[in-house]
Amino acid sequence: MKLSRFNIISEIKDSDEYFILNSLYGSADVISNITYNDLLKGNSENYDFASRGYLVDPEAEKSLFRNAYLKFLDERETDEVQLFFIPGYSCNFSCSYCYQADFRIKDTGLDKDIIDAFFMHVDEDFAERRRYITLFGGEPLLPGKPHMNLIKYIIECAVGRNTDVAVVTNGYHVIDYIDIFRLARLREIQVTLDGTRVVHDRRRTLKNGKGTFDRIAEGVDMLLENNIPVNLRMVVDRDNIENLPALAQFAIDRGWTASGIFSTQLGRNYELHDCQVGREKLFSRIEMYSELYRLIKRHPHILDFHKPAFAVSRALYETGELPAPLFDACPGTKTEWAFDFTGNIYSCTATAGKKGEELGRFFPERVMYREKIEQWEERDILSIGECRECSLSLICGGGCAAVAGNRNGSTTGCPDCRPVKELLELGIATYFPEYASK
Ligand code: SF4
Ligand code: SF4
């Protein structure tokens, strides 16, 4: 018997106990220092390491791994696909950190022909798949009758196909769109608030410099009143993270967190694009989560507003089980695609609008760049050398192909490493406080 390749062992933050996790076997335990040393020596006298999959027969582990991989591929075939549609790259905001600020694509002429071509493509390529459509931008909810009518037309086309719609918006014109939303099968509206009024309005202004907080907050109220699910996103960096406790309190006081259709996410502003503005303010993943850990200790009400994933820690806490092994963290071209108003097709929102990242066209004619698509499709932890040898692979899943591509020049063959072990150290201490002494 040998130690499993997929054991992840580390010390729980602010504790003298250890956790051990093995995603292939679905095992997770807290162990003492003594048990930890027994495991390293292969001494099973006091603990049955084999029954938990921590000590294994390597040949049996290989076969278990192969079967889990095949199951993962099979299940993904029937997963729901998210199809992003980008009606334009224009935006009515001038956010201090906008990654699309350097996009040069002019918004000329979204029209019904392009929308029809998009839905024809959906009908043909995704006929048998469960799918939903997400409107993305730029800002998809711009003012003005002609644009609003086109958004309405997209929603009608989706309704006609029994397809749900989600919207990613800055939230400013949500109020004006409420009648159009009532026509849709709406999955959720994602709006962004970067903090309470002063902090948000410093970062997310209209083009004329005017603040946007109050109108977005009213929009969130109105969505919830109309029973439309809201996903509130806060983009965090060094400039606004200290405002998270105040935003959490605001959402609690406003009654948002008590709603069953209100959810949240924290987004990092990250280095996907060529934006030169304020790079020194950006967090790495572990920096952001370390800050969250620190803030949650001091302001536990943050957890009423947002429960950070800390890798699989939150899932383990909420369900009592580890999620299934993750052989591929990147949904691009597998369960995610992006389509823009120029007729281009991309893997996902991270590549949408970037020159050279096109994977095909749906308008004016349909053409798919098969060789490029295959490179995306083949990327998983078995196709990346580093991931094949990595004990974290079944939780990390190889990371984001676009980030890997940005860093290394190769989208498909390079890893985008996640600090899985460090995130688990923080997450277990956050969600299982009995193991954290302070
Ligand atoms: S490339 Fe990155 S952003 Fe795009 S789908 Fe993959 S993980 Fe998501
Ligand atoms: S991306 Fe890095 S951390 Fe993730 S599985 Fe691959 S080698 Fe491991």
Side-chain angles (χ1 to χ4, degrees):
M1 299 289 266
K2 285 193 161 169
L3 286 173
S4 165
R5 278 207 310 120
F6 302 102
N7 288 343
I8 304 175
I9 312 172
S10 195
E11 210 167 357
I12 300 170
K13 177 91 174 157
D14 296 329
S15 161
D16 48 14
E17 298 202 90
Y18 290 77
F19 66 82
I20 175 165
L21 252 79
N22 189 311
S23 190
L24 186 59
Y25 296 85
S27 302
D29 290 278
V30 171
I31 55 176
S32 67
N33 196 2
I34 297 167
T35 313
Y36 172 61
N37 283 316
D38 280 348
L39 175 64
L40 296 186
K41 287 185 218 136
N43 172 10
S44 293
E45 261 171 45
N46 303 312
Y47 198 103
D48 187 2
F49 296 118
S51 73
R52 304 292 288 152
Y54 304 136
L55 276 182
V56 297
D57 165 6
E59 283 310 310
E61 178 160 284
K62 265 190 211 157
S63 141
L64 190 63
F65 180 90
R66 221 176 6 255
N67 290 338
Y69 180 58
L70 295 175
K71 186 163 180 264
F72 172 84
L73 294 181
D74 267 2
E75 288 180 354
R76 195 165 59 184
E77 286 292 303
T78 55
D79 276 352
E80 190 177 44
V81 185
Q82 185 175 19
L83 305 172
F84 286 91
F85 185 75
I86 299 168
Y89 289 102
S90 293
C91 185
N92 50 336
F93 277 24
S94 177
C95 300
S96 53
Y97 51 78
C98 180
Y99 75 86
Q100 290 182 342
D102 54 345
F103 277 28
R104 295 279 175 264
I105 300 167
K106 283 264 177 302
D107 286 1
T108 44
L110 172 67
D111 59 27
K112 285 193 172 179
D113 288 347
I114 294 171
I115 296 170
D116 288 340
F118 165 65
F119 278 99
M120 201 181 298
H121 182 83
V122 172
D123 289 344
E124 289 185 19
D125 268 32
F126 301 96
E128 305 299 325
R129 291 296 293 260
R130 290 187 301 119
R131 77 262 169 139
Y132 70 105
I133 292 166
T134 299
L135 298 178
F136 191 84
E139 170 52 41
L141 304 184
L142 289 173
K145 264 272 164 260
H147 184 77
M148 289 176 77
N149 281 337
L150 288 169
I151 298 295
K152 185 171 171 226
Y153 184 63
I154 294 171
I155 284 178
E156 287 165 348
C157 291
V159 170
R161 288 163 174 81
N162 291 326
T163 301
D164 286 4
V165 173
V167 185
V168 177
T169 169
N170 59 35
Y172 195 76
H173 286 293
V174 154
I175 293 171
D176 307 323
Y177 273 83
I178 206 81
D179 288 337
I180 294 177
F181 289 162
R182 288 200 186 102
L183 306 172
R185 293 163 45 125
L186 272 183
R187 182 70 63 99
E188 69 172 26
I189 308 287
Q190 184 194 299
V191 302
T192 302
L193 276 183
D194 274 3
T196 49
R197 185 184 292 106
V198 172
V199 173
H200 174 92
D201 283 349
R202 205 169 57 218
R203 297 160 61 88
R204 297 182 65 83
T205 64
L206 289 174
K207 289 255 187 270
N208 64 11
K210 199 175 145 228
T212 57
F213 180 88
D214 289 329
R215 215 173 129 85
I216 297 170
E218 277 168 41
V220 171
D221 290 339
M222 187 177 270
L223 290 170
L224 295 176
E225 277 159 24
N226 280 274
N227 214 21
I228 297 171
V230 173
N231 185 343
L232 187 77
R233 179 167 202 256
M234 178 184 186
V235 177
V236 287
D237 56 32
R238 291 181 210 285
D239 252 8
N240 68 338
I241 185 105
E242 294 297 334
N243 192 239
L244 173 61
L247 181 62
Q249 194 60 54
F250 177 87
I252 292 166
D253 295 344
R254 193 100 167 188
W256 293 347
T257 55
S259 165
I261 53 170
F262 178 80
S263 59
T264 54
Q265 56 171 290
L266 299 183
R268 260 180 335 121
N269 222 337
Y270 55 115
E271 59 288 349
L272 265 174
H273 297 267
D274 300 330
C275 175
Q276 300 298 313
V277 188
R279 277 180 173 246
E280 67 290 348
K281 292 180 192 155
L282 306 184
F283 280 134
S284 68
R285 191 175 299 268
I286 192 60
E287 283 170 342
M288 181 179 94
Y289 276 96
S290 300
E291 284 298 296
L292 289 176
Y293 174 77
R294 178 183 65 79
L295 284 170
I296 289 168
K297 289 271 159 199
R298 285 194 359 232
H299 308 279
H301 73 276
I302 290 173
L303 290 179
D304 295 333
F305 172 72
H306 180 74
K307 292 187 175 58
F310 288 112
V312 292
S313 313
R314 186 189 65 205
L316 180 62
Y317 170 69
E318 288 178 343
T319 66
E321 290 177 10
L322 284 178
L326 183 63
F327 291 86
D328 179 20
C330 172
T333 74
K334 292 115 174 184
T335 56
E336 186 173 326
W337 291 89
F339 304 82
D340 77 7
F341 71 100
T342 70
N344 278 327
I345 301 174
Y346 301 91
S347 61
C348 63
T349 55
T351 53
K354 288 183 83 178
K355 215 169 170 32
E357 299 280 4
E358 302 85 355
L359 298 181
R361 292 187 62 76
F362 65 91
F363 182 86
E365 69 283 316
R366 288 183 72 209
V367 42
M368 300 299 278
Y369 309 148
R370 288 282 161 212
E371 230 170 88
K372 284 170 91 178
I373 293 169
E374 272 166 26
Q375 287 177 2
W376 275 83
E377 287 173 339
E378 281 162 12
R379 185 185 189 276
D380 64 21
I381 59 164
L382 294 182
S383 69
I384 301 168
E386 290 90 334
C387 303
R388 279 199 296 271
E389 306 299 320
C390 176
S391 65
L392 310 174
S393 59
L394 295 178
I395 291 181
C396 168
C400 167
V403 169
N406 248 41
R407 259 192 228 128
N408 309 295
S410 160
T411 306
T412 48
C414 295
D416 163 37
C417 296
R418 302 286 158 97
V420 171
K421 200 186 269 192
E422 294 80 359
L423 292 174
L424 290 168
E425 290 166 6
L426 297 168
I428 291 172
T430 300
Y431 292 117
F432 299 87
E434 62 270 34
Y435 299 117
S437 39
K438 290 110 205 155

